[in-house]
Each structure stands twice: as C-alpha cells, then as structure tokens.
Amino acid sequence: MPPPRTPLLTVDAVIIGKDGESIILVKRLNPPFKDYYALPGGFVEVGERLEEALRREVKEETGLEVEVERIIGIYDEPDRDPRGHVVTVAYLCREVEGELRASTDAKEAKRFTLKEAASLKLAFDHEKILRDAEALGAWK
C-alpha cells in the first residue's frame, strides 16, 4: 500500500473526572507506545465529524460518555506519531456518565490526579497536550 498523500486525522480527549480534579488515561494495548499511558482518542473515520469521533473513541476505550467543552489545540508535528504524519485535534472534556473500564485497544483505563499524570511518561505528545490544557485553566 502506498503511503497516504495527506496527513491522517485523529482526535484526543483530556477528560476531567466528575470530581473536577482527576484525569482519565488509558494504557495502550498495541504499538506504537504499547503499555504507555495515553489520552483516549483515535482515528476519525470517513464521513464522521470530529466530535462524533471523539465521543466514539472515548466510549470505546473508557466506557464513559463525555461533554465536549472546547478545543485545546491542533497538534501537527510531522513526527509526533511513529506511524507517519498524523494530525490530532485535542479536546477538553468532562466525564458525564458511564462506568470506567478498558475496552477495544486499551489495556487499562484509570483515573489519575494531575500531579500523578504529570509524573508519567505518556505516549505521543500527550504530555504537551496536558500542559496546554492546564495552561488553559482546565482544572480551575
């Protein structure tokens, strides 16, 4: 298969827990970054709107329903994903309902304090996305 002619598109979710302080991360089941924690997210399907893809990916990976608050940023470094040029739109979300559980390509879904999450080595550029969310006042 020839390489794509344009970057691939993904969405990522910074999910603030119902307590207003925790963040939900998933442990990746598959490469790249197998066994690293990451923000829930994934590839946008053809014909799918970004927020629909975000809600689908969050539900698939964590079992949770979320309310989308705002875009944190667009991350487009060509080398941010070892599989190729992948652009992501990161969203700030709040947990609404559901039971936290790992599913699909997540080995584990877990709540962390922001301090705990900051001490983890995260997949892709998710440390930067978390810092950007914090700078926006996501936990205030």
Side-chain angles (χ1 to χ4, degrees), residues 23 25 35-38 110-123 126-128 130-131 134 139:
I23 182 168
L25 298 174
D35 293 326
Y36 280 65
Y37 282 101
K110 188 174 174 183
R111 296 177 198 281
F112 291 91
T113 65
L114 188 57
K115 185 176 182 178
E116 290 169 335
S119 71
L120 297 170
K121 182 158 177 56
L122 301 179
H126 292 181
E127 291 172 43
K128 177 175 180 14
L130 273 182
R131 284 193 309 270
E134 188 176 17
W139 286 270

Side-chain angles (χ1 to χ4, degrees), residues 20-103:
E21 296 179 12
S22 62
I23 182 168
I24 286 104
L25 298 174
V26 295
K27 186 178 271 191
R28 291 182 54 83
L29 182 62
N30 301 307
F33 298 103
K34 181 179 178 181
D35 293 326
Y36 280 65
Y37 282 101
L39 298 170
F43 289 97
V44 177
E45 296 176 358
V46 173
E48 191 173 41
R49 296 179 59 97
L50 294 176
E51 287 189 20
E52 291 169 353
L54 184 75
R55 287 186 182 93
R56 175 184 52 77
E57 285 288 345
V58 167
K59 182 76 170 171
E60 287 176 2
E61 293 184 0
T62 70
L64 299 176
E65 302 283 343
V66 294
E67 175 184 322
V68 178
E69 289 195 351
R70 65 182 292 183
I71 291 175
I72 296 167
I74 298 168
Y75 300 83
D76 61 354
E77 287 295 327
D79 63 351
R80 64 176 296 278
D81 188 320
R83 296 170 290 192
H85 191 176
V86 178
V87 175
T88 198
V89 180
Y91 289 86
L92 179 63
C93 303
R94 301 242 175 221
E95 176 185 2
V96 174
E97 62 183 46
E99 183 179 329
L100 184 62
R101 59 173 170 67
S103 187

